[in-house]
């Protein structure tokens, strides 16, 4: 029992993921600043933001359901932490997980997005409702290509459905990114995660220009801080899952630690550059992009995986 | 100075409210985000919702129409929130003092923490004003 609580709360769960995820969000903001020839925020900025938010007053909107409004960020954090444990344990090679955990991860990764939608609808704000509807449509569009690429990965690994076995397979037979089908799958999943993280070009649920931060418009003070922590955790675990699926996972022993950091940083760099070089698309353009192009990519990846290329 | 105040100063999120400006002050505020001034290096950023804001920047005169809105926005903010009057308009009324639609300077409507005069004030003046405000908070 004790070790599970340690896994959940400290390493690789809540504490580790929020600290490293905060660091990654700083890296992302710094890259954004450098791309725009600015200096960017100081190193401790994520910490300052969270502590400041925790110390501020929390306003609960008059119209809307107060209990749901306050509880949803907690569920979001809970879902993100649970999926962090399930992803980080096999990816870091601490424990092997169980057969079929990749399917559990797919479900758990949906909890934060779902709770954003419920929280936004509970706030009773019309702009939040617009944001929630966009977030729902976005979820409908990026889930299918993500699942299809997972199928392609499973086929490539010879029908293994546990993350640690997939990583072990890659360690002995070479990472999937090296094959054509793996490469196409990687691009597809990168796009899906861009949407899952709510970053430009798929940040229409939070479009601060048109709907004033959309789904989080009514959140303030400590519950907004919990949303931030959820975002930080997602910033770490989604790239970590990508490395697990395509780059043979991470490892913290000896010289491998540099190599692991390099893998994560490469993915963060890609995500940051995509977000800095693209405008925000409209929701129906995003749905078209995922349903037509990304599904096509994913199906090509599956066919190539069956052919063994 | 406790940790709370320190973090508050290091991460000021700014909400920009135009009560009835000629739009010149607003453009000068957006100047602060450009690479030349880059307020993100002080941890400041522009937010879209008043619920997230730590600083309320008001530009332009408070007109009879916007007075109730300014009050409502102020009451919706999650406290503590600093109010800064940008430009001659909210400070005194500026060139619109004798306008039929002028509902009084901003500090007659909501409590103001700092005044930054100028028509429009330069971005440097705004930064200097914020720095002075934070320094005066230190002494308290
Ligand atoms: S202070 Fe001057 S520049 Fe600013 S809103 Fe008023 S008239 Fe326009």
């Amino acid at each position: 029992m004790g070790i599970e609580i340690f896994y959940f709360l400290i390493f690789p769960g809540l504490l580790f993921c929020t600290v490293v995820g905060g660091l990654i969000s700083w890296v992302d903001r710094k890259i954004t600043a450098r791309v725009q020839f600015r200096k960017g925020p100081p190193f401790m900025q994520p910490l300052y933001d969270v502590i400041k938010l925790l110390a501020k007053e929390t306003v609960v909107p008059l119209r809307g359901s107060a209990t749901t409004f306050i509880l949803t960020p907690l569920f979001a954090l809970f879902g993100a932490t649970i999926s962090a444990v399930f992803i980080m344990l096999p990816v870091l090679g601490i424990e092997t997980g169980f057969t079929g955990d990749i399917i559990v991860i797919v479900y758990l990764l949906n909890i934060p997005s779902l709770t954003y939608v419920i929280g936004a609808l509970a706030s009773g704000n019309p702009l939040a409702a617009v944001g929630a509807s966009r977030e729902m449509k976005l979820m409908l569009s990026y889930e299918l290509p993500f699942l299809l690429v997972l199928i392609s990965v499973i086929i490539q690994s010879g029908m293994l459905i546990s993350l640690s076995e997939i990583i072990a397979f890659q360690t002995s037979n070479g990472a999937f990114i090296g094959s054509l089908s793996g490469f196409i799958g990687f691009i597809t999943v990168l796009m899906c995660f861009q949407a899952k993280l709510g970053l430009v070009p798929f940040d229409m649920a939070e479009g601060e220009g048109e709907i004033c931060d959309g789904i989080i418009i009514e959140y303030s003070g400590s519950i907004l801080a919990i949303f931030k922590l959820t975002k930080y955790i997602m910033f770490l675990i989604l790239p970590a899952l990508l490395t697990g699926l395509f780059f043979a996972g991470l490892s913290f022993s000896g010289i491998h630690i540099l190599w692991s950091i390099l893998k994560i940083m490469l993915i963060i760099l890609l995500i940051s550059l995509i977000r800095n070089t693209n405008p925000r698309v409209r929701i129906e353009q995003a749905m078209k992009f995922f349903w037509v192009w990304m599904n096509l990519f994913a199906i090509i990846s599956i066919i190539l995986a069956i052919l063994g290329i | 100075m406790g940790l709370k105040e320190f973090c508050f100063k290091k991460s000021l999120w700014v909400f920009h409210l135009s009560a009835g400006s000629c739009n010149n002050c607003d453009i000068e505020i957006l100047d602060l985000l450009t690479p030349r001034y880059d307020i993100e290096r002080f941890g400041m950023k522009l937010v879209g919702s008043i619920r997230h804001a730590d600083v309320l920047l008001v530009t332009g005169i408070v007109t009879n129409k916007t007075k109730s809105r300014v009050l409502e926005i102020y009451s919706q903010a999650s406290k503590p929130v600093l109010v800064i009057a940008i430009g001659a308009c909210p400070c005194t009324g500026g060139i619109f003092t004798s306008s039929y639609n002028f509902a009084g300077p901003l500090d007659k409507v909501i409590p103001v923490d700092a005044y930054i005069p100028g028509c429009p004030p330069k971005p440097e003046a705004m930064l200097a004003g914020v720095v002075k405000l934070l320094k005066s908070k230190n002494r308290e």
Side-chain angles (χ1 to χ4, degrees):
Chain A
M1 191 64 200
I3 189 78
E4 278 89 2
I5 291 181
F6 177 76
Y7 281 158
F8 185 80
L9 286 180
I10 303 187
F11 184 86
L14 193 60
L15 191 68
F16 174 75
C17 282
T18 42
V19 171
V20 179
L23 204 74
I24 290 177
S25 89
W26 172 78
V27 170
D28 170 59
R29 279 175 79 174
K30 193 81 180 172
I31 294 174
T32 310
R34 294 312 304 167
V35 168
Q36 299 167 351
F37 297 103
R38 291 188 287 118
K39 235 182 120 206
F43 182 66
M44 299 292 271
Q45 193 58 45
L47 185 73
Y48 296 149
D49 285 352
V50 168
I51 292 182
K52 177 210 72 179
L53 284 175
L54 283 174
K56 277 195 75 148
E57 182 197 9
T58 304
V59 187
V60 178
L62 206 57
R63 275 170 289 168
S65 145
T67 328
T68 324
F69 181 75
I70 293 175
L71 279 183
T72 39
L74 291 175
F75 278 115
L77 186 66
F78 183 75
T81 314
I82 285 270
S83 32
V85 175
F86 276 118
I87 291 173
M88 296 309 279
L89 281 181
V91 167
L92 293 176
I94 303 170
E95 271 197 23
T96 46
F98 50 89
T99 312
D101 61 352
I102 201 156
I103 298 163
V104 179
I105 289 170
V106 170
Y107 279 108
L108 287 175
L109 277 180
N110 268 337
I111 294 182
S113 317
L114 266 179
T115 47
Y116 293 163
V117 171
I118 297 170
L121 291 175
S123 72
N125 187 310
L127 293 179
V130 174
S133 114
R134 291 184 186 179
E135 176 81 30
M136 268 190 276
K137 285 176 197 148
L138 205 57
M139 276 169 73
L140 286 180
S141 19
Y142 66 66
E143 273 317 313
L144 186 59
F146 178 42
L147 286 175
L148 288 177
V149 173
L150 273 188
I151 292 176
S152 144
V153 166
I154 288 170
I155 290 174
Q156 277 190 69
S157 64
M159 298 299 166
L160 296 172
I161 50 168
S162 122
L163 194 53
S164 62
E165 282 174 18
I166 291 178
I167 292 169
F169 182 87
Q170 291 182 63
T171 324
S172 48
N173 298 13
F176 291 153
I177 185 80
S179 68
L180 188 58
S181 107
F183 185 69
I184 295 175
F186 172 73
I187 293 173
T188 316
V189 178
L190 193 67
M191 286 298 163
C192 295
F193 284 176
Q194 191 93 11
K196 225 184 197 10
L197 286 169
L199 296 175
V200 190
F202 307 113
D203 70 330
M204 56 293 269
E206 267 177 43
E208 67 278 344
E210 354 142 25
I211 51 172
C212 316
D213 285 334
I215 41 179
I216 52 169
I217 182 170
E218 288 286 344
Y219 282 97
S220 57
S222 37
I223 40 180
L224 182 62
I226 294 177
F227 259 138
K228 282 263 160 218
L229 291 181
T230 315
K231 285 243 143 118
Y232 292 165
I233 294 181
M234 298 300 268
F235 241 125
L236 172 66
I237 61 175
L238 294 181
L241 181 61
L242 262 179
T243 60
L245 289 179
F246 298 102
F247 291 97
L250 308 170
S251 141
F252 272 176
S253 58
I255 192 71
H256 288 302
I257 192 160
L258 280 179
W259 197 209
S260 308
I261 294 175
L262 210 66
K263 284 178 193 167
I264 291 272
M265 282 304 148
L266 177 76
I267 294 174
I268 296 293
L269 186 70
L270 279 178
I271 288 179
S272 268
L273 288 183
I274 292 174
R275 112 182 173 119
N276 277 306
T277 46
N278 283 287
R280 181 188 311 141
V281 294
R282 289 196 309 273
I283 181 71
E284 91 272 9
Q285 289 171 326
M287 290 174 85
K288 202 169 163 192
F289 176 75
F290 280 109
W291 279 351
V292 178
W293 295 111
M294 285 300 115
N295 278 340
L296 191 72
F297 270 41
I299 289 170
I300 291 176
S301 159
I302 290 184
I303 293 172
L304 289 177
I306 292 174
L307 296 178
I309 304 175
Chain B
M1 183 178 52
L3 179 69
K4 222 166 101 178
E5 287 78 25
F6 180 73
C7 290
F8 184 77
K9 274 181 217 160
K10 282 288 190 180
S11 122
L12 290 175
W13 290 0
V14 178
F15 180 81
H16 165 210
L17 168 68
S18 164
S21 70
C22 74
N23 225 324
N24 210 338
C25 283
D26 312 271
I27 293 170
E28 294 296 322
I29 288 174
L30 291 186
D31 245 12
L32 289 173
L33 301 175
T34 54
R36 191 176 179 105
Y37 300 105
D38 184 25
I39 52 169
E40 204 189 7
R41 65 203 153 109
F42 306 121
M44 302 184 202
K45 74 175 187 190
L46 218 55
V47 290
S49 160
I50 182 66
R51 301 272 199 220
H52 309 170
D54 308 305
V55 181
L56 179 59
L57 297 181
V58 185
T59 59
I61 56 165
V62 182
T63 62
N64 288 327
K65 278 238 169 204
T66 51
K67 190 174 171 186
S68 58
R69 270 90 167 179
V70 172
L71 269 173
E72 194 176 335
I73 291 273
Y74 181 70
S75 64
Q76 279 179 346
S78 87
K79 310 287 177 306
V81 63
L82 303 172
V83 180
I84 303 184
I86 301 274
C89 283
C91 293
T92 60
I95 53 171
F96 301 110
T97 322
S98 49
S99 161
Y100 65 95
N101 209 4
F102 178 51
L106 183 66
D107 48 9
K108 291 266 159 53
V109 184
I110 52 177
V112 177
D113 292 282
Y115 304 85
I116 300 175
C119 185
K122 285 187 139 207
E124 291 96 328
M126 295 185 202
L127 281 178
V130 174
V131 170
K132 275 184 192 158
L133 172 63
L134 293 182
K135 279 217 180 107
S136 77
K137 288 264 155 198
N138 264 359
R139 247 176 274 130
E140 272 168 19

